[in-house]
PDB file of all heavy atoms in Angstrom:
ATOM      1  N   GLY A   1      12.512  20.984  -1.381  1.00  0.00           N
ATOM      2  CA  GLY A   1      11.231  21.670  -1.136  1.00  0.00           C
ATOM      3  C   GLY A   1      10.254  21.376  -2.244  1.00  0.00           C
ATOM      4  O   GLY A   1       9.010  21.733  -1.921  1.00  0.00           O
ATOM      5  N   GLY A   2      10.573  20.831  -3.302  1.00  0.00           N
ATOM      6  CA  GLY A   2       9.641  20.518  -4.346  1.00  0.00           C
ATOM      7  C   GLY A   2       8.770  19.307  -4.129  1.00  0.00           C
ATOM      8  O   GLY A   2       8.893  18.605  -3.142  1.00  0.00           O
ATOM      9  N   SER A   3       7.999  19.009  -5.137  1.00  0.00           N
ATOM     10  CA  SER A   3       7.074  17.956  -5.104  1.00  0.00           C
ATOM     11  C   SER A   3       7.159  17.147  -6.302  1.00  0.00           C
ATOM     12  O   SER A   3       7.366  17.627  -7.387  1.00  0.00           O
ATOM     13  CB  SER A   3       5.628  18.386  -4.837  1.00  0.00           C
ATOM     14  OG  SER A   3       5.438  19.024  -3.683  1.00  0.00           O
ATOM     15  N   LEU A   4       6.822  15.838  -6.219  1.00  0.00           N
ATOM     16  CA  LEU A   4       6.647  14.940  -7.371  1.00  0.00           C
ATOM     17  C   LEU A   4       5.520  13.964  -7.045  1.00  0.00           C
ATOM     18  O   LEU A   4       5.215  13.730  -5.884  1.00  0.00           O
ATOM     19  CB  LEU A   4       7.917  14.149  -7.580  1.00  0.00           C
ATOM     20  CG  LEU A   4       9.096  14.862  -8.300  1.00  0.00           C
ATOM     21  CD1 LEU A   4      10.298  13.849  -8.275  1.00  0.00           C
ATOM     22  CD2 LEU A   4       8.794  15.259  -9.664  1.00  0.00           C
ATOM     23  N   ARG A   5       4.860  13.436  -8.096  1.00  0.00           N
ATOM     24  CA  ARG A   5       3.883  12.405  -7.899  1.00  0.00           C
ATOM     25  C   ARG A   5       4.330  11.167  -8.770  1.00  0.00           C
ATOM     26  O   ARG A   5       4.409  11.406 -10.021  1.00  0.00           O
ATOM     27  CB  ARG A   5       2.490  12.801  -8.278  1.00  0.00           C
ATOM     28  CG  ARG A   5       1.467  11.759  -7.901  1.00  0.00           C
ATOM     29  CD  ARG A   5       0.056  12.124  -8.292  1.00  0.00           C
ATOM     30  NE  ARG A   5      -0.203  11.899  -9.722  1.00  0.00           N
ATOM     31  CZ  ARG A   5      -1.355  11.768 -10.296  1.00  0.00           C
ATOM     32  NH1 ARG A   5      -2.464  11.720  -9.531  1.00  0.00           N
ATOM     33  NH2 ARG A   5      -1.528  11.655 -11.562  1.00  0.00           N
ATOM     34  N   LEU A   6       4.585  10.116  -8.140  1.00  0.00           N
ATOM     35  CA  LEU A   6       4.974   8.871  -8.826  1.00  0.00           C
ATOM     36  C   LEU A   6       3.660   8.047  -9.069  1.00  0.00           C
ATOM     37  O   LEU A   6       2.769   8.018  -8.290  1.00  0.00           O
ATOM     38  CB  LEU A   6       5.891   8.009  -8.008  1.00  0.00           C
ATOM     39  CG  LEU A   6       7.161   8.695  -7.519  1.00  0.00           C
ATOM     40  CD1 LEU A   6       8.065   7.681  -6.850  1.00  0.00           C
ATOM     41  CD2 LEU A   6       7.973   9.343  -8.700  1.00  0.00           C
ATOM     42  N   SER A   7       3.681   7.379 -10.266  1.00  0.00           N
ATOM     43  CA  SER A   7       2.576   6.519 -10.603  1.00  0.00           C
ATOM     44  C   SER A   7       3.116   5.089 -10.893  1.00  0.00           C
ATOM     45  O   SER A   7       4.255   4.972 -11.356  1.00  0.00           O
ATOM     46  CB  SER A   7       1.829   7.004 -11.819  1.00  0.00           C
ATOM     47  OG  SER A   7       1.263   8.292 -11.596  1.00  0.00           O
ATOM     48  N   CYS A   8       2.334   4.112 -10.546  1.00  0.00           N
ATOM     49  CA  CYS A   8       2.690   2.699 -10.863  1.00  0.00           C
ATOM     50  C   CYS A   8       1.481   2.069 -11.486  1.00  0.00           C
ATOM     51  O   CYS A   8       0.379   1.887 -10.845  1.00  0.00           O
ATOM     52  CB  CYS A   8       2.974   1.951  -9.481  1.00  0.00           C
ATOM     53  SG  CYS A   8       3.297   0.219  -9.658  1.00  0.00           S
ATOM     54  N   ALA A   9       1.594   1.813 -12.751  1.00  0.00           N
ATOM     55  CA  ALA A   9       0.547   1.241 -13.558  1.00  0.00           C
ATOM     56  C   ALA A   9       0.742  -0.300 -13.609  1.00  0.00           C
ATOM     57  O   ALA A   9       1.837  -0.713 -14.105  1.00  0.00           O
ATOM     58  CB  ALA A   9       0.464   1.876 -14.904  1.00  0.00           C
ATOM     59  N   ALA A  10      -0.264  -1.046 -13.256  1.00  0.00           N
ATOM     60  CA  ALA A  10      -0.161  -2.483 -13.318  1.00  0.00           C
ATOM     61  C   ALA A  10      -0.883  -3.027 -14.483  1.00  0.00           C
ATOM     62  O   ALA A  10      -1.889  -2.434 -14.962  1.00  0.00           O
ATOM     63  CB  ALA A  10      -0.791  -3.208 -12.122  1.00  0.00           C
ATOM     64  N   SER A  11      -0.362  -4.131 -15.090  1.00  0.00           N
ATOM     65  CA  SER A  11      -0.924  -4.793 -16.183  1.00  0.00           C
ATOM     66  C   SER A  11      -0.723  -6.282 -16.017  1.00  0.00           C
ATOM     67  O   SER A  11       0.233  -6.753 -15.422  1.00  0.00           O
ATOM     68  CB  SER A  11      -0.478  -4.252 -17.567  1.00  0.00           C
ATOM     69  OG  SER A  11       0.988  -4.491 -17.700  1.00  0.00           O
ATOM     70  N   GLY A  12      -1.554  -7.129 -16.594  1.00  0.00           N
ATOM     71  CA  GLY A  12      -1.520  -8.513 -16.580  1.00  0.00           C
ATOM     72  C   GLY A  12      -2.098  -9.113 -15.307  1.00  0.00           C
ATOM     73  O   GLY A  12      -2.154 -10.404 -15.200  1.00  0.00           O
ATOM     74  N   PHE A  13      -2.477  -8.250 -14.378  1.00  0.00           N
ATOM     75  CA  PHE A  13      -3.174  -8.733 -13.125  1.00  0.00           C
ATOM     76  C   PHE A  13      -3.938  -7.576 -12.624  1.00  0.00           C
ATOM     77  O   PHE A  13      -3.738  -6.435 -12.977  1.00  0.00           O
ATOM     78  CB  PHE A  13      -2.193  -9.305 -12.088  1.00  0.00           C
ATOM     79  CG  PHE A  13      -1.402  -8.293 -11.392  1.00  0.00           C
ATOM     80  CD1 PHE A  13      -1.598  -7.930 -10.095  1.00  0.00           C
ATOM     81  CD2 PHE A  13      -0.294  -7.699 -12.009  1.00  0.00           C
ATOM     82  CE1 PHE A  13      -0.817  -6.966  -9.420  1.00  0.00           C
ATOM     83  CE2 PHE A  13       0.494  -6.755 -11.379  1.00  0.00           C
ATOM     84  CZ  PHE A  13       0.202  -6.355 -10.136  1.00  0.00           C
ATOM     85  N   THR A  14      -4.778  -7.840 -11.644  1.00  0.00           N
ATOM     86  CA  THR A  14      -5.691  -6.829 -11.063  1.00  0.00           C
ATOM     87  C   THR A  14      -5.207  -6.576  -9.662  1.00  0.00           C
ATOM     88  O   THR A  14      -5.101  -7.486  -8.832  1.00  0.00           O
ATOM     89  CB  THR A  14      -7.157  -7.274 -11.019  1.00  0.00           C
ATOM     90  OG1 THR A  14      -7.594  -7.526 -12.393  1.00  0.00           O
ATOM     91  CG2 THR A  14      -8.005  -6.320 -10.397  1.00  0.00           C
ATOM     92  N   ILE A  15      -4.840  -5.295  -9.290  1.00  0.00           N
ATOM     93  CA  ILE A  15      -4.238  -5.055  -8.030  1.00  0.00           C
ATOM     94  C   ILE A  15      -5.180  -5.049  -6.872  1.00  0.00           C
ATOM     95  O   ILE A  15      -4.766  -4.970  -5.679  1.00  0.00           O
ATOM     96  CB  ILE A  15      -3.514  -3.678  -8.079  1.00  0.00           C
ATOM     97  CG1 ILE A  15      -4.530  -2.519  -8.139  1.00  0.00           C
ATOM     98  CG2 ILE A  15      -2.512  -3.545  -9.221  1.00  0.00           C
ATOM     99  CD1 ILE A  15      -3.902  -1.100  -7.845  1.00  0.00           C
ATOM    100  N   SER A  16      -6.470  -5.162  -7.106  1.00  0.00           N
ATOM    101  CA  SER A  16      -7.488  -5.123  -6.019  1.00  0.00           C
ATOM    102  C   SER A  16      -7.267  -6.134  -4.908  1.00  0.00           C
ATOM    103  O   SER A  16      -7.659  -5.938  -3.748  1.00  0.00           O
ATOM    104  CB  SER A  16      -8.896  -5.208  -6.551  1.00  0.00           C
ATOM    105  OG  SER A  16      -9.093  -6.488  -7.316  1.00  0.00           O
ATOM    106  N   SER A  17      -6.605  -7.272  -5.324  1.00  0.00           N
ATOM    107  CA  SER A  17      -6.294  -8.294  -4.301  1.00  0.00           C
ATOM    108  C   SER A  17      -4.984  -8.172  -3.595  1.00  0.00           C
ATOM    109  O   SER A  17      -4.598  -9.032  -2.815  1.00  0.00           O
ATOM    110  CB  SER A  17      -6.410  -9.701  -4.891  1.00  0.00           C
ATOM    111  OG  SER A  17      -7.678  -9.949  -5.487  1.00  0.00           O
ATOM    112  N   TYR A  18      -4.241  -7.097  -3.854  1.00  0.00           N
ATOM    113  CA  TYR A  18      -2.846  -6.924  -3.421  1.00  0.00           C
ATOM    114  C   TYR A  18      -2.668  -5.731  -2.598  1.00  0.00           C
ATOM    115  O   TYR A  18      -3.295  -4.720  -2.852  1.00  0.00           O
ATOM    116  CB  TYR A  18      -1.883  -6.819  -4.654  1.00  0.00           C
ATOM    117  CG  TYR A  18      -1.779  -8.057  -5.504  1.00  0.00           C
ATOM    118  CD1 TYR A  18      -2.768  -8.343  -6.441  1.00  0.00           C
ATOM    119  CD2 TYR A  18      -0.633  -8.845  -5.470  1.00  0.00           C
ATOM    120  CE1 TYR A  18      -2.735  -9.471  -7.210  1.00  0.00           C
ATOM    121  CE2 TYR A  18      -0.520  -9.979  -6.177  1.00  0.00           C
ATOM    122  CZ  TYR A  18      -1.514 -10.265  -7.141  1.00  0.00           C
ATOM    123  OH  TYR A  18      -1.407 -11.410  -7.945  1.00  0.00           O
ATOM    124  N   SER A  19      -1.869  -5.883  -1.551  1.00  0.00           N
ATOM    125  CA  SER A  19      -1.314  -4.690  -0.846  1.00  0.00           C
ATOM    126  C   SER A  19      -0.269  -4.088  -1.835  1.00  0.00           C
ATOM    127  O   SER A  19       0.395  -4.810  -2.535  1.00  0.00           O
ATOM    128  CB  SER A  19      -0.802  -5.034   0.536  1.00  0.00           C
ATOM    129  OG  SER A  19       0.349  -5.853   0.358  1.00  0.00           O
ATOM    130  N   MET A  20      -0.292  -2.785  -1.827  1.00  0.00           N
ATOM    131  CA  MET A  20       0.697  -2.091  -2.712  1.00  0.00           C
ATOM    132  C   MET A  20       1.685  -1.226  -1.989  1.00  0.00           C
ATOM    133  O   MET A  20       1.218  -0.522  -0.982  1.00  0.00           O
ATOM    134  CB  MET A  20      -0.016  -1.274  -3.732  1.00  0.00           C
ATOM    135  CG  MET A  20      -1.091  -1.965  -4.614  1.00  0.00           C
ATOM    136  SD  MET A  20      -0.256  -3.147  -5.776  1.00  0.00           S
ATOM    137  CE  MET A  20       0.654  -2.055  -6.781  1.00  0.00           C
ATOM    138  N   SER A  21       2.928  -1.271  -2.322  1.00  0.00           N
ATOM    139  CA  SER A  21       3.942  -0.511  -1.585  1.00  0.00           C
ATOM    140  C   SER A  21       4.853   0.222  -2.457  1.00  0.00           C
ATOM    141  O   SER A  21       5.027  -0.177  -3.628  1.00  0.00           O
ATOM    142  CB  SER A  21       4.770  -1.516  -0.661  1.00  0.00           C
ATOM    143  OG  SER A  21       3.951  -2.183   0.180  1.00  0.00           O
ATOM    144  N   TRP A  22       5.530   1.216  -1.941  1.00  0.00           N
ATOM    145  CA  TRP A  22       6.584   1.900  -2.561  1.00  0.00           C
ATOM    146  C   TRP A  22       7.888   1.667  -1.632  1.00  0.00           C
ATOM    147  O   TRP A  22       7.788   1.830  -0.431  1.00  0.00           O
ATOM    148  CB  TRP A  22       6.361   3.356  -2.666  1.00  0.00           C
ATOM    149  CG  TRP A  22       5.340   3.777  -3.774  1.00  0.00           C
ATOM    150  CD1 TRP A  22       4.040   3.940  -3.582  1.00  0.00           C
ATOM    151  CD2 TRP A  22       5.642   3.926  -5.128  1.00  0.00           C
ATOM    152  NE1 TRP A  22       3.479   4.331  -4.747  1.00  0.00           N
ATOM    153  CE2 TRP A  22       4.425   4.295  -5.779  1.00  0.00           C
ATOM    154  CE3 TRP A  22       6.795   3.810  -5.872  1.00  0.00           C
ATOM    155  CZ2 TRP A  22       4.323   4.498  -7.128  1.00  0.00           C
ATOM    156  CZ3 TRP A  22       6.682   4.116  -7.273  1.00  0.00           C
ATOM    157  CH2 TRP A  22       5.516   4.413  -7.858  1.00  0.00           C
ATOM    158  N   TYR A  23       8.890   1.227  -2.261  1.00  0.00           N
ATOM    159  CA  TYR A  23      10.224   1.026  -1.612  1.00  0.00           C
ATOM    160  C   TYR A  23      11.165   2.008  -2.316  1.00  0.00           C
ATOM    161  O   TYR A  23      10.961   2.464  -3.413  1.00  0.00           O
ATOM    162  CB  TYR A  23      10.739  -0.438  -1.755  1.00  0.00           C
ATOM    163  CG  TYR A  23       9.983  -1.400  -0.864  1.00  0.00           C
ATOM    164  CD1 TYR A  23       8.813  -1.969  -1.239  1.00  0.00           C
ATOM    165  CD2 TYR A  23      10.564  -1.820   0.251  1.00  0.00           C
ATOM    166  CE1 TYR A  23       8.156  -2.879  -0.498  1.00  0.00           C
ATOM    167  CE2 TYR A  23       9.920  -2.778   1.047  1.00  0.00           C
ATOM    168  CZ  TYR A  23       8.693  -3.312   0.655  1.00  0.00           C
ATOM    169  OH  TYR A  23       8.050  -4.331   1.358  1.00  0.00           O
ATOM    170  N   ARG A  24      12.290   2.270  -1.646  1.00  0.00           N
ATOM    171  CA  ARG A  24      13.353   2.990  -2.325  1.00  0.00           C
ATOM    172  C   ARG A  24      14.754   2.470  -1.823  1.00  0.00           C
ATOM    173  O   ARG A  24      14.890   1.879  -0.699  1.00  0.00           O
ATOM    174  CB  ARG A  24      13.296   4.510  -1.945  1.00  0.00           C
ATOM    175  CG  ARG A  24      13.551   4.886  -0.522  1.00  0.00           C
ATOM    176  CD  ARG A  24      13.258   6.365  -0.268  1.00  0.00           C
ATOM    177  NE  ARG A  24      13.527   6.815   1.048  1.00  0.00           N
ATOM    178  CZ  ARG A  24      13.251   7.991   1.606  1.00  0.00           C
ATOM    179  NH1 ARG A  24      12.668   8.891   0.723  1.00  0.00           N
ATOM    180  NH2 ARG A  24      13.497   8.246   2.814  1.00  0.00           N
ATOM    181  N   ARG A  25      15.667   2.718  -2.683  1.00  0.00           N
ATOM    182  CA  ARG A  25      17.041   2.305  -2.355  1.00  0.00           C
ATOM    183  C   ARG A  25      18.036   3.347  -2.821  1.00  0.00           C
ATOM    184  O   ARG A  25      17.999   3.733  -4.053  1.00  0.00           O
ATOM    185  CB  ARG A  25      17.372   0.984  -3.048  1.00  0.00           C
ATOM    186  CG  ARG A  25      18.869   0.451  -2.609  1.00  0.00           C
ATOM    187  CD  ARG A  25      19.255  -0.788  -3.408  1.00  0.00           C
ATOM    188  NE  ARG A  25      18.438  -1.951  -3.221  1.00  0.00           N
ATOM    189  CZ  ARG A  25      18.612  -2.840  -2.254  1.00  0.00           C
ATOM    190  NH1 ARG A  25      19.651  -2.666  -1.388  1.00  0.00           N
ATOM    191  NH2 ARG A  25      17.910  -3.886  -2.127  1.00  0.00           N
ATOM    192  N   ALA A  26      18.825   3.876  -1.969  1.00  0.00           N
ATOM    193  CA  ALA A  26      19.923   4.762  -2.237  1.00  0.00           C
ATOM    194  C   ALA A  26      21.269   4.017  -2.053  1.00  0.00           C
ATOM    195  O   ALA A  26      21.377   3.068  -1.286  1.00  0.00           O
ATOM    196  CB  ALA A  26      19.828   5.935  -1.285  1.00  0.00           C
ATOM    197  N   PRO A  27      22.323   4.546  -2.806  1.00  0.00           N
ATOM    198  CA  PRO A  27      23.651   3.883  -2.652  1.00  0.00           C
ATOM    199  C   PRO A  27      24.137   3.884  -1.223  1.00  0.00           C
ATOM    200  O   PRO A  27      23.978   4.856  -0.442  1.00  0.00           O
ATOM    201  CB  PRO A  27      24.492   4.801  -3.545  1.00  0.00           C
ATOM    202  CG  PRO A  27      23.554   5.409  -4.496  1.00  0.00           C
ATOM    203  CD  PRO A  27      22.324   5.620  -3.830  1.00  0.00           C
ATOM    204  N   GLY A  28      24.578   2.725  -0.827  1.00  0.00           N
ATOM    205  CA  GLY A  28      25.110   2.542   0.565  1.00  0.00           C
ATOM    206  C   GLY A  28      24.070   2.316   1.568  1.00  0.00           C
ATOM    207  O   GLY A  28      24.323   2.349   2.824  1.00  0.00           O
TER     208      GLY A  28
END
């Protein structure tokens, strides 16, 4: 029931030209 906010900070390139995604993987 709780909440979290994840952040993804990019460096070495500019994200404006990129689609950005979040993926996840759980065991199995």
Side-chain angles (χ1 to χ4, degrees):
S3 298
L4 287 173
R5 189 182 76 159
L6 306 183
S7 298
C8 174
S11 60
F13 74 107
T14 300
I15 69 168
S16 60
S17 299
Y18 293 76
S19 65
M20 301 296 295
S21 300
W22 289 94
Y23 289 79
R24 67 186 182 187
R25 186 189 294 274

